[in-house]
Amino acid sequence: MSALTPQSDMPTPTTDKITQAAMETIYLCKFRVSMDGEWLCLRELDDISLTPDPEPTHEDPNYLMANERMNLMNMAKLSIKGLIESALNLGRTLDSDYAPLQQFFVVMEHCLKHGLKAKKTFLGQNKSFWGPLELVEKLVPEAAEITASVKDLPGLKTPVGRGRAWLRLALMQKKLSEYMKALINRKDLLSEFYEPNALMMEEEGAIIAGLLVGLNVIDANFCMKGEDLDSQVGVIDFSMYLKDGNSTKGSEGDGQITAILDQKNYVEELNRHLSATVNNLQAKVDALEKSNTKLTEELAVANNRIITLQEEMERVKEESSYILESSRKATKDRTADGQALTEARKQLKEETQLRLDVEKELEAQIGMRQEMELAMKMLEKDVCEKQDALVALRQQLDDLRALKHELSFKLQSSDMGVKQKSELNSRLEEKTNQMAATIKQLEQSEKDLVKQAKTLNSAANKLIQKHH
């Protein structure tokens, strides 16, 4: 909002500290935030300035901090209330792209940054609310899990990003209110990080912690691995809460159109999700078919290898039987050469060892063949199950497409009704303008008649005076 941007005046040395604390929330210093039912009202404080006066009024740091605390508390009330109502109306799990949820985290970030002491580093002064949040695991043991999860996230490089991730995990755990209450109750520990008049040190912080209990009815789901929490800009969008005079006209018809649009967007999102699931399952089926073909080829090769080994084993048996017969003949014939007998025995041992090796390899090949057949059966069963799931998902996809066409038809009908209402409003405005012009003409003629009456009265008075 352009009206809420701070002025670019250079601060004087006597007001550097006040200016540095006010520049981050200048929109809260120069405006007073109040609530009108469920709407936000902003009233500009014309007497606020960041230049010293002899007798300061609204420049007092305590006044500025109190005004900021009150404004942040009202913003937190509106954000929490709007988030709960919109979540209950939607009736589904919220994700990180939901605008009211993003604004809630921005408001919570400003609440935790309010009155935060600046720590000096070699890069300059650094203000981070990750330090106070790290204390929660010492006060509530259950918070150690999300603190460890935040430290293990690979994409976070700054303390601000870790603090934002901690808030999201605490909301998913539905323990954000409990953790904030435990932290606010230990002001002796918070004094190391906050100024004495900061929001977390005053009554407004306890009120916000109590309001956070209502968020336990919300189911949130975040995926922070691909989200860039370090470089996000936390700016409060006042347009979501400011009261608009034209928003009350035709709110009933617009509510129906909004509901139809929400249903249409939800159906389209579900349609995209189911299409992606169908594509993934189809890819898995193709991969399984390729793996099945490869295993079939390997099984054929193994069968050929087994047949070859069986043929070699039969050949070895024939050779061994021949060698045995020849050895028996050699033993009967004592006159045979002793050196030939020794060579025959050595050859028999070698052939026997070769036979044992072939038998072991044959057993190993048979075991591998059985395992491959079992794997083939399991793969065929898995492919059948995936094909059944694919058919069911395609049926759901067809149903959702029919529902999408029906919602599109309803949306077109509602658009025609809105156009008719707009034409009727324009006609009424034209008639109103004509009546206003007629009233102005009547008023002018009335003024002319009054002037003529005054002239006649004066003439009558003069005649009466002459008569007397």
Side-chain angles (χ1 to χ4, degrees):
M1 298 178 64
S2 60
L4 303 180
T5 55
Q7 301 293 330
S8 60
D9 297 335
M10 294 298 292
T12 59
T14 58
T15 59
D16 284 342
K17 186 176 181 180
I18 301 173
T19 306
Q20 183 179 1
M23 290 299 284
E24 294 183 358
T25 53
I26 190 69
Y27 54 86
L28 296 174
C29 295
K30 296 185 70 65
F31 292 85
R32 185 178 298 280
V33 178
S34 61
M35 296 175 63
D36 182 12
E38 59 182 12
W39 296 97
L40 175 69
C41 296
L42 294 178
R43 185 173 67 85
E44 186 173 3
L45 303 179
D46 297 328
D47 51 359
I48 292 180
S49 63
L50 296 177
T51 55
D53 294 330
E55 294 181 1
T57 56
H58 296 307
E59 284 185 4
D60 185 21
N62 294 327
Y63 174 81
L64 295 177
M65 296 290 279
N67 187 36
E68 291 172 6
R69 289 198 306 269
M70 183 62 66
N71 292 343
L72 284 171
M73 184 183 70
N74 289 330
M75 288 301 304
K77 286 181 181 179
L78 286 172
S79 176
I80 294 170
K81 182 180 179 182
L83 181 59
I84 293 173
E85 290 178 354
S86 60
L88 293 178
N89 291 332
L90 289 176
R92 58 185 174 90
T93 303
L94 305 181
D95 51 16
S96 57
D97 295 330
Y98 191 53
L101 193 59
Q102 292 178 353
Q103 284 300 306
F104 164 75
F105 287 126
V106 171
V107 173
M108 286 301 301
E109 183 177 342
H110 280 282
C111 292
L112 291 171
K113 284 183 178 179
H114 184 263
L116 197 64
K117 293 181 179 179
K119 291 186 177 181
K120 293 184 178 180
T121 61
F122 66 94
L123 295 175
Q125 291 185 347
N126 181 23
K127 287 187 177 182
S128 173
F129 57 94
W130 170 240
L133 295 181
E134 280 188 300
L135 297 175
V136 179
E137 65 177 343
K138 299 179 181 178
L139 305 176
V140 183
E142 297 177 2
E145 181 180 354
I146 63 173
T147 304
S149 300
V150 169
K151 292 179 180 179
D152 293 337
L153 285 174
L156 300 178
K157 299 179 181 178
T158 62
V160 176
R162 297 188 186 97
R164 291 168 176 169
W166 189 95
L167 289 175
R168 284 158 174 78
L169 291 176
L171 183 64
M172 289 174 61
Q173 202 179 24
K174 297 185 179 182
K175 294 291 183 68
L176 183 58
S177 174
E178 180 181 347
Y179 296 158
M180 295 301 292
K181 286 181 180 178
L183 189 62
I184 288 172
N185 291 334
R186 294 298 302 271
K187 292 184 171 57
D188 53 337
L189 299 176
L190 291 177
S191 60
E192 181 183 356
F193 300 94
Y194 290 98
E195 300 290 343
N197 52 0
L199 184 139
M200 296 293 288
M201 303 290 289
E202 296 292 340
E203 184 180 1
E204 288 84 354
I207 294 173
I208 293 175
L211 293 173
L212 293 175
V213 178
L215 297 179
N216 294 337
V217 301
I218 295 176
D219 294 326
N221 187 16
F222 306 107
C223 181
M224 288 172 289
K225 290 185 178 179
E227 190 173 2
D228 187 9
L229 297 176
D230 294 325
S231 60
Q232 288 183 0
V233 180
V235 179
I236 299 177
D237 187 7
F238 287 95
S239 62
M240 295 179 63
Y241 310 105
L242 287 174
K243 187 174 182 180
D244 188 2
N246 296 325
S247 64
T248 58
K249 296 181 180 179
S251 60
E252 296 179 356
D254 293 340
Q256 295 178 356
I257 296 173
T258 304
I260 293 173
L261 288 174
D262 290 340
Q263 292 178 2
K264 180 176 178 291
N265 294 331
Y266 175 69
V267 169
E268 289 178 351
E269 185 66 23
L270 186 59
N271 189 3
R272 286 194 294 269
H273 178 69
L274 288 175
S275 299
T277 305
V278 169
N279 293 330
N280 292 332
L281 288 175
Q282 188 66 40
K284 290 181 181 179
V285 169
D286 295 335
L288 288 174
E289 289 177 354
K290 292 180 181 178
S291 178
N292 189 7
T293 305
K294 186 177 180 181
L295 289 175
T296 304
E297 295 174 355
E298 291 178 356
L299 182 60
V301 173
N303 289 331
N304 294 330
R305 179 64 176 168
I306 289 170
I307 294 170
T308 304
L309 290 173
Q310 288 176 352
E311 293 176 353
E312 289 180 359
M313 187 176 67
E314 291 176 357
R315 183 177 58 82
V316 169
K317 284 181 180 179
E318 292 175 355
E319 291 178 356
S320 63
S321 62
Y322 175 76
I323 292 170
L324 285 172
E325 290 177 357
S326 62
S327 64
R328 286 174 184 174
K329 291 179 181 179
T331 54
K332 290 180 180 179
D333 191 8
R334 298 294 182 178
T335 60
D337 191 11
Q339 186 177 1
L341 180 60
T342 304
E343 291 179 357
R345 287 178 179 175
K346 188 183 293 184
Q347 187 177 2
L348 178 61
K349 288 182 181 179
E350 291 177 356
E351 293 294 337
T352 305
Q353 185 65 34
L354 179 60
R355 179 184 176 182
L356 294 174
D357 294 340
V358 170
E359 288 179 351
K360 289 181 181 179
E361 187 174 358
L362 180 61
E363 292 176 356
Q365 291 293 333
I366 291 171
M368 289 177 61
R369 180 179 179 181
Q370 292 176 353
E371 291 179 356
M372 292 174 70
E373 288 177 353
L374 182 61
M376 286 287 294
K377 291 179 180 179
M378 294 178 65
L379 284 173
E380 289 176 356
K381 184 180 179 180
D382 193 8
V383 168
C384 292
E385 292 177 354
K386 292 292 190 298
Q387 287 177 351
D388 293 339
L390 185 62
V391 171
L393 286 173
R394 284 176 178 170
Q395 184 63 33
Q396 292 181 5
L397 185 61
D398 293 336
D399 295 340
L400 287 173
R401 285 175 179 170
L403 181 59
K404 178 182 177 182
H405 290 307
E406 184 179 353
L407 289 175
S408 300
F409 179 74
K410 291 182 179 179
L411 182 61
Q412 291 176 359
S413 300
S414 61
D415 289 339
M416 292 293 294
V418 170
K419 289 180 180 179
Q420 291 177 359
K421 291 182 180 179
S422 301
E423 293 176 357
L424 183 59
N425 288 332
S426 61
R427 292 175 183 174
L428 290 174
E429 287 179 357
E430 290 178 359
K431 290 183 180 180
T432 304
N433 294 329
Q434 292 176 1
M435 292 177 68
T438 305
I439 291 171
K440 288 182 180 180
Q441 292 177 0
L442 292 174
E443 288 178 353
Q444 186 64 34
S445 61
E446 184 180 359
K447 290 179 181 179
D448 295 337
L449 290 173
V450 170
K451 290 180 180 180
Q452 291 178 4
K454 288 181 179 180
T455 304
L456 291 173
N457 287 330
S458 60
N461 290 329
K462 290 179 180 179
L463 289 173
I464 292 170
Q465 289 176 2
K466 289 179 179 179
H467 180 72
H468 286 293

